[in-house]
Amino acid sequence: MRRLFCFALLPIATFVGVLPSLAGDVTKPLDVRFAPPSAKSLSADAPLPAEEPSFQRHVVPLFGRLGCNGRSCHGSFQGQGGFRLSMFGYDFQADHDALLKPASKEQGPRVDVKSPAASLLLTKPVSDDDHGGGRRFDVGGWEYRVLRRWIEAGAKNKAHAGTMLERLDVTPSEIVFPREGSPPPVPLRVVAHWSDGTREDVTKLTRFSSNDDGTAAIDGDGVVRSVGSGSTYVIACYDSGVVSIPVLRPVSDRVGPAYPNVPTPTKIDELVVAKLRKLGIVPSELATDAEFLRRVSLDICGTLPTPEEAAAFLDDKSPVKRTRKIEELLARPEYALWWATKLCDMTGLNAPAQLGTTDYGPHVGKQWYDWMHRRLAENDGYDRIVRGIVLAVSIQPGETYDDYVARQTSYMRKDSPADFAAQPWMPYYWFRNNLGTPDEKALGFAYSFLGVRLDCAQCHKHPFDRWSQQDFQDFTQFFARVSKGIHPLRADDKKALEEKLETAKLDTAAKRRQTFWKWAGEGKSTPWQEVYVAEPELATKGKPAATSNKLRLLGGRTVELRAGQDPREPVLEWMLEKDNPYFARAIVNRVWAHYFGVGIVNPADDANLGNPPSNKELMAYLADGFVAHGYDLKWLHREITTSDAYQRSWRPNDTNRHDDRLFSKALVRRLPAEVVGDALKLGTASAAKLKSQTEKDLRARYIAQQAPAYERALEYGMMVFGKPINKTNCDCERDPQPSLLQSVYLRNDVDLRTTLTRPDGWLKTVPKGATVAELIDEAYLRLFSRRPTAAEQKRCAAYFAEVPDRAEALEDVLWALINTQEFVTNH
């Protein structure tokens, strides 16, 4: 699938909707106004219109349409032939300066206002030989005439009242091709609305792309052609405007009156089925009770149902047993354990050098996890959880440095450590190794809390969205004063403590680390580092902190800081605004992706205008509902899991066999590493051990273990199944894909043999009076949450009859079941 993403500089809400084109006073397209007098006989010297083309409205967009400022041409980092333009034309002044700069003595000027026809801007693009990019337009064609007229008029970069694009309208707003035959192409019309009230047809200056060329193709003139059945978007980009237009072609003849009556018991189902109905996609039937129980238990709690639980659920005839089970799972302690791990991954828990030394990493990691777990166990709103992270500092109001180090030491002592999770703030997020610079803080923040990737905007206009380098630099200023180390005003306090402790005698860094850690374990105050917000007038690392009290949020709005205000406060206030386009949608999308294996926006951490939701109405409903319900995560889990969309079978029908984005069936998903590890341990544990690890020893479970500081600290099985250590800002660090190494691990690794034959395992504690049929039933209930079919029961019983040693036969059956796709996947 190929995607070309475009940019916007205006608030995202401006371009989310596609409005109908307005009739009336719309300026004709540039190709009409600058059309050559004779299409049959093009001439460079034909009379030109009196109109003076605008550099922003016409010249720069024309470069974009022709590909001149793209990544493979003059928009690349190094440019081409000594000539560089800003990527996709976001820096008008820089581009204008580059055009007016002479190329070389041999080549002559790129723009020659005295002799326009001699300008390289006109002579190179019309040549196949002299221009590395090949012929881009013809001598005397409308493109040639636009550029020549601009040069003749003085090649100006005029600033005028109408330079701000207010809205971009594209019609039609949706394209639905008929299923049968060869549908005729559909042309798009793009109209730009400027702040001076003028409107212009800019279709010929717009860059177009398709998110799936296998479904719909679009040419440079904006003509959409159906290629295959399915659903995708075509993207229209002009100036700072980006609009996505849905394109659909039914996959079957079951559309309109022929579409079956599909029950839609929830709002989610209404919105999902509404999209499917347009495409003639009939959703799969509901999953069986066994499939539902196993799926929802693994998704909500990261835990297999016990064999007794599975049997009871399968035998329960109540029509509301699924809803009851969801409520039961959300109330279990495993819910908070598993989702604390999920949120710690999202916020980047990795602590190899927290608080100034690597020795504290594992302890800081545990405290970070405990803090997150406490909030989930108490069902704090997601907004409160994020507030506790975003605004965190180490030293609280009224605390001295001595108070702080005493409190921090109390969390680290070996005997009866204080409860770190009880404090409202979680400053460790800002101690992350990959959040050192303001740039890194902005990148990590946008990834964790906004679901947006800003990486490319560090150096140039973002290739996937609206963000320019200036947008990124403006956003980093909110984090420029967030520092870690020792506040300059507390340097004397730290020095006094070090003198008291006689730390000067610790003449090496290794001695200091070892001694400090020993003191902390004994409860002796240690000179800890801190997270603090530097005052604007203070210097950090030899460079002045940001001093401006006017800062610009993503999307363009400027906020003014109050005296002494933490610059992170207005960012949080903006995130919690009801119509914020990122914050609520980011977590909603990630939670949805967890349950379905694919996000409404996919990838789940890459929301951008060129990658719109596969179901915009569904995204809006869930995000709005999440906010309206006080950012209640359990509401979100409940809303998703009670829907038929979530409870559908993975078994496809003829209409949805190829659907993997519109939620017409369940996608088979490989289990996460922690869940695989627990499933192996719990599925093969003795009855007593199983009861202990599901009721008492919960913190020994893999789902409750935070990311280690280093890869070498990962257990081999966790590494094989893709547990991340959170070194990067990307959901992709957790690898959900199956691999050959995973198969080899389950078949041959000594870990599996040890797990099966351990003293507290099921194999060693099977009641002697159990029949073969009972053993086979329990094996299936333990690992698959279902009873075996008659054929499976017969096949296993036959194997037991062939093997004299019953324990050996049972071990082999367990091994065989573990090495199935049914065990290692959620389905």
Side-chain angles (χ1 to χ4, degrees), residues 66 73 124-137:
L66 297 173
C73 199
K124 276 212 166 189
V126 298
S127 171
D128 287 318
D129 298 325
D130 295 337
H131 187 226
R135 181 189 293 260
R136 310 311 296 172
F137 51 80

Side-chain angles (χ1 to χ4, degrees), residues 515-726:
T515 304
F516 286 176
W517 180 235
K518 177 184 176 183
W519 288 344
E522 296 170 350
K524 186 176 182 180
S525 290
T526 303
W528 300 104
Q529 294 187 11
E530 59 170 312
V531 170
Y532 62 94
V533 178
E535 289 77 5
E537 64 273 12
L538 294 177
T540 57
K541 296 184 178 179
K543 296 181 180 180
T547 56
S548 174
N549 64 342
K550 291 186 178 180
L551 304 178
R552 196 163 69 95
L553 294 161
L554 286 177
R557 195 172 81 205
T558 299
V559 296
E560 186 167 356
L561 298 181
R562 302 185 303 273
Q565 185 180 16
D566 185 335
R568 298 171 299 179
E569 287 183 11
V571 179
L572 183 66
E573 292 169 2
W574 166 70
M575 287 162 54
L576 296 180
E577 290 175 358
K578 186 177 180 180
D579 59 350
N580 183 280
Y582 305 109
F583 178 62
R585 292 180 178 227
I587 186 63
V588 161
N589 194 48
R590 280 183 163 120
V591 172
W592 182 277
H594 169 81
Y595 284 111
F596 285 85
V598 63
I600 305 172
V601 169
N602 200 58
D605 59 348
D606 191 15
N608 63 74
L609 296 177
N611 183 29
S614 60
N615 190 320
K616 293 181 178 180
E617 294 77 13
L618 175 62
M619 175 68 87
Y621 165 72
L622 286 172
D624 292 347
F626 183 56
V627 174
H629 285 82
Y631 298 90
D632 183 352
L633 286 166
K634 285 191 176 182
W635 175 87
L636 182 58
H637 294 299
R638 186 182 298 113
E639 194 75 4
I640 292 173
T641 56
T642 55
S643 70
D644 280 5
Y646 172 74
Q647 297 182 24
R648 297 205 178 278
S649 170
W650 59 269
R651 297 172 182 83
N653 56 49
D654 290 340
T655 68
N656 72 354
R657 191 171 305 279
H658 301 293
D659 172 35
D660 59 2
R661 287 295 313 275
L662 300 178
F663 322 115
S664 64
K665 64 179 187 296
L667 299 182
V668 177
R669 299 169 273 139
R670 203 215 69 208
L671 296 178
E674 300 90 337
V675 178
V676 172
D678 277 345
L680 287 171
K681 292 287 181 67
L682 298 179
T684 61
S686 66
K689 187 68 174 178
L690 182 58
K691 182 179 178 62
S692 173
Q693 292 211 327
T694 54
E695 295 180 5
K696 298 179 181 178
D697 302 329
L698 293 169
R699 296 303 293 266
R701 298 271 300 279
Y702 285 110
I703 60 169
Q705 294 179 13
Q706 65 275 5
Y710 303 104
E711 289 176 345
R712 64 175 180 268
L714 272 176
E715 286 189 26
Y716 180 65
M718 294 294 100
M719 181 192 72
V720 167
F721 281 93
K723 181 177 175 67
I725 64 169
N726 302 325

Side-chain angles (χ1 to χ4, degrees), residues 24 69 102 109 169 183 186 214 244 275 299 306 334 387 407 433 460 470-471 482 484 490 571 586 744 759 783 797:
N69 54 20
D169 292 346
V186 175
S244 58
K275 185 70 175 276
D299 279 342
T306 65
E334 291 98 323
R387 180 184 296 275
R407 177 169 57 82
N433 268 4
H460 56 78
Q470 188 61 52
D471 293 319
V482 181
K484 56 185 178 182
R490 285 186 278 272
V571 179
V744 172
L783 300 178

Side-chain angles (χ1 to χ4, degrees), residues 304-618:
L304 280 174
T306 65
E308 295 79 14
E309 180 186 0
F313 187 82
L314 296 177
D315 294 338
D316 187 351
K317 304 302 181 184
S318 171
V320 296
K321 67 179 183 180
R322 293 193 178 193
T323 301
R324 283 206 312 257
K325 178 56 68 175
I326 290 168
E327 293 300 332
E328 176 190 327
L329 292 170
L330 288 172
R332 284 186 182 176
E334 291 98 323
Y335 158 75
L337 291 172
W338 177 221
W339 280 91
T341 294
K342 300 281 292 181
L343 291 188
C344 283
D345 281 356
M346 191 182 76
T347 51
L349 192 165
N350 177 279
Q354 291 278 2
L355 301 171
T357 170
T358 58
D359 297 320
Y360 308 132
H363 302 272
V364 167
K366 181 180 182 302
Q367 292 167 14
W368 185 330
Y369 176 89
D370 289 346
W371 188 92
M372 194 71 77
H373 174 259
R374 173 76 63 85
R375 271 97 202 125
L376 288 166
E378 296 175 354
N379 198 34
D380 278 0
Y382 182 67
D383 57 332
R384 291 185 60 191
I385 295 174
V386 172
R387 180 184 296 275
I389 299 171
V390 171
L391 300 183
V393 292
S394 296
I395 298 182
Q396 300 307 307
E399 271 192 326
T400 65
Y401 181 72
D402 288 343
D403 294 335
Y404 163 63
V405 297
R407 177 169 57 82
Q408 187 63 43
T409 298
S410 73
Y411 303 138
M412 298 293 180
R413 64 184 176 227
K414 293 180 180 178
D415 297 328
S416 303
D419 185 7
F420 176 86
Q423 66 172 350
W425 308 108
M426 212 288 291
Y428 293 160
Y429 173 87
W430 299 103
F431 265 114
R432 284 170 47 184
N433 268 4
N434 59 352
L435 296 189
T437 67
D439 281 16
E440 290 171 342
K441 293 183 180 76
L443 291 173
F445 188 95
Y447 158 75
S448 293
F449 305 118
L450 305 179
V452 172
R453 299 180 186 177
L454 295 177
D455 306 64
C456 296
Q458 284 181 280
C459 305
H460 56 78
K461 193 169 186 178
H462 197 296
F464 304 129
D465 206 339
R466 56 198 304 212
W467 317 117
S468 70
Q469 187 178 22
Q470 188 61 52
D471 293 319
F472 177 78
Q473 291 171 349
D474 289 343
F475 191 56
T476 66
Q477 294 307 302
F478 287 98
F479 311 102
R481 290 164 47 197
V482 181
S483 308
K484 56 185 178 182
I486 297 296
H487 193 291
L489 297 181
R490 285 186 278 272
D492 290 342
D493 297 331
K494 177 175 181 288
K495 183 178 179 181
L497 178 60
E498 289 178 334
E499 289 175 351
K500 179 180 177 181
L501 297 172
E502 297 182 332
T503 59
K505 296 179 180 179
L506 306 175
D507 54 359
T508 67
K511 283 183 180 180
R512 289 173 66 88
R513 289 197 304 269
Q514 293 167 3
T515 304
F516 286 176
W517 180 235
K518 177 184 176 183
W519 288 344
E522 296 170 350
K524 186 176 182 180
S525 290
T526 303
W528 300 104
Q529 294 187 11
E530 59 170 312
V531 170
Y532 62 94
V533 178
E535 289 77 5
E537 64 273 12
L538 294 177
T540 57
K541 296 184 178 179
K543 296 181 180 180
T547 56
S548 174
N549 64 342
K550 291 186 178 180
L551 304 178
R552 196 163 69 95
L553 294 161
L554 286 177
R557 195 172 81 205
T558 299
V559 296
E560 186 167 356
L561 298 181
R562 302 185 303 273
Q565 185 180 16
D566 185 335
R568 298 171 299 179
E569 287 183 11
V571 179
L572 183 66
E573 292 169 2
W574 166 70
M575 287 162 54
L576 296 180
E577 290 175 358
K578 186 177 180 180
D579 59 350
N580 183 280
Y582 305 109
F583 178 62
R585 292 180 178 227
I587 186 63
V588 161
N589 194 48
R590 280 183 163 120
V591 172
W592 182 277
H594 169 81
Y595 284 111
F596 285 85
V598 63
I600 305 172
V601 169
N602 200 58
D605 59 348
D606 191 15
N608 63 74
L609 296 177
N611 183 29
S614 60
N615 190 320
K616 293 181 178 180
E617 294 77 13
L618 175 62

Side-chain angles (χ1 to χ4, degrees), residues 83-105:
F83 176 38
R84 180 185 176 189
L85 295 170
S86 62
M87 189 181 292
F88 297 126
Y90 72 94
D91 192 332
F92 299 115
Q93 189 58 54
D95 289 348
H96 189 258
D97 292 344
L99 285 166
L100 297 186
K101 181 181 178 181
S104 67
K105 292 182 179 179

Side-chain angles (χ1 to χ4, degrees), residues 800-806:
F800 269 86
E802 294 175 5
V803 180
D805 188 330
R806 192 173 78 154

